[in-house]
Amino acid sequence: MEESINDIIRKIRTDLRRYMNGIAAAGMRDKGVHYRMNFGVEILRLKRIAAKYTPNKDLAQRLWNEDVRELKILATMLYPPHEFSTDTAELWVREIPYQEIREQWCMNLLQKLDTAGVLVERWISDADESVRATGYWLYARLCLAASPLSENIPGGALLEASCGDLENESIVLRQAALNVLRFYGRVSGDRAAEVMHKIGSFQHSLRPAGREIFDALRFEFEG
């Protein structure tokens, strides 16, 4: 007899309690990461738990809806990519609570979508900073995976958006934007020169962070 979604979720919760790491969970809370429940289970262990179950759209959505760190991460592992619609992506992107979830979502699910490039292009121009950060991280994941989709994203839009966020107050957004420039510039010498030209004014920025960004990218492309 096929297990119900409720049965599977009960088994997952049992596993999470078995592998709970209170010290890791407490460390996350100390850094401002607050869920209704956080078991502190490591990612490798979550991958092993996910491997026990057949990916299922309804199961993944149920897991995502819970304010539980591990269930949200498992949702990104158990949602069948071919069933993950653009509409659902647009809903989830505005529900990301923390950077870890953003990274796991981009790696486990979003980079596998045929529409990933379209989502990057759409999200990097969004007014919501969290959405832009997700667009940047997804672009980085496509580059890491050597996906041809990364080449179809207009370079002008990438540079305009990411350079505009390099001095944002959000460290998450700044780092995500910097990653975009690194990956974009690594493709060729021409692209590297394009990046350095775009951020040329940072060399004499009155803000130390601006000069550090310039030096970091110059070292990246000249090394």
Side-chain angles (χ1 to χ4, degrees):
M1 182 177 179
E2 187 175 345
E3 287 184 300
S4 69
I5 288 177
N6 287 336
D7 289 337
I8 293 173
I9 293 176
R10 276 193 292 270
K11 288 185 176 182
I12 289 174
R13 287 182 179 275
T14 297
D15 277 340
L16 295 180
R17 284 191 289 271
R18 179 181 299 127
Y19 301 122
M20 183 173 182
N21 185 330
I23 295 176
M28 293 181 204
R29 286 194 298 273
D30 290 343
K31 295 178 181 178
V33 176
H34 297 284
Y35 293 93
R36 182 179 63 79
M37 180 66 70
N38 182 351
F39 293 90
V41 179
E42 62 184 18
I43 298 299
L44 181 57
R45 184 74 69 180
L46 292 177
K47 289 181 179 179
R48 291 172 181 168
I49 292 174
K52 296 180 181 181
Y53 306 102
T54 301
N56 179 285
K57 172 183 175 180
D58 295 331
L59 169 62
Q61 187 62 60
R62 283 274 302 276
L63 297 175
W64 179 262
N65 291 342
E66 294 287 341
D67 187 24
V68 178
R69 170 184 171 267
E70 288 76 11
L71 297 187
K72 284 191 179 297
I73 293 173
L74 286 168
T76 71
M77 298 175 178
L78 288 170
Y79 207 119
H82 66 281
E83 294 187 61
F84 195 78
S85 69
T86 300
D87 288 342
T88 302
E90 291 291 354
L91 292 175
W92 282 31
V93 76
R94 299 179 191 280
E95 298 172 347
I96 297 173
Y98 300 107
Q99 175 64 13
E100 181 186 32
I101 303 301
R102 175 177 292 111
E103 293 179 20
Q104 289 295 315
W105 186 34
C106 288
M107 178 171 59
N108 299 330
L109 182 56
L110 285 180
Q111 70 172 7
K112 300 175 183 178
L113 305 182
D114 293 338
T115 57
V118 174
L119 294 175
V120 170
E121 189 174 351
R122 184 181 301 175
W123 289 346
I124 61 174
S125 62
D126 198 280
D128 189 307
E129 292 183 358
S130 177
V131 175
R132 292 205 303 280
T134 305
Y136 296 150
W137 274 98
L138 179 52
Y139 174 75
R141 286 304 318 176
L142 291 176
C143 291
L144 283 169
S147 170
L149 296 178
S150 66
E151 293 299 314
N152 297 328
I153 301 164
L158 274 172
L159 292 180
E160 191 67 28
S162 55
C163 287
D165 280 323
L166 283 177
E167 294 187 285
N168 192 282
E169 292 300 316
S170 167
I171 189 172
V172 169
L173 190 57
R174 290 201 309 270
Q175 186 59 54
L178 183 58
N179 283 342
V180 166
L181 297 178
R182 283 189 171 122
F183 281 109
Y184 183 84
R186 286 175 187 171
V187 173
S188 67
D190 287 344
R191 282 197 175 187
E194 190 178 359
V195 171
M196 295 310 297
H197 175 74
K198 192 73 175 176
I199 65 161
S201 62
F202 281 58
Q203 184 176 13
H204 306 292
S205 174
L206 297 177
R207 299 182 61 181
R211 296 193 299 274
E212 289 173 6
I213 287 170
F214 181 88
D215 289 340
L217 288 172
R218 181 169 58 180
F219 180 81
E220 174 83 26
F221 301 139
E222 292 181 356

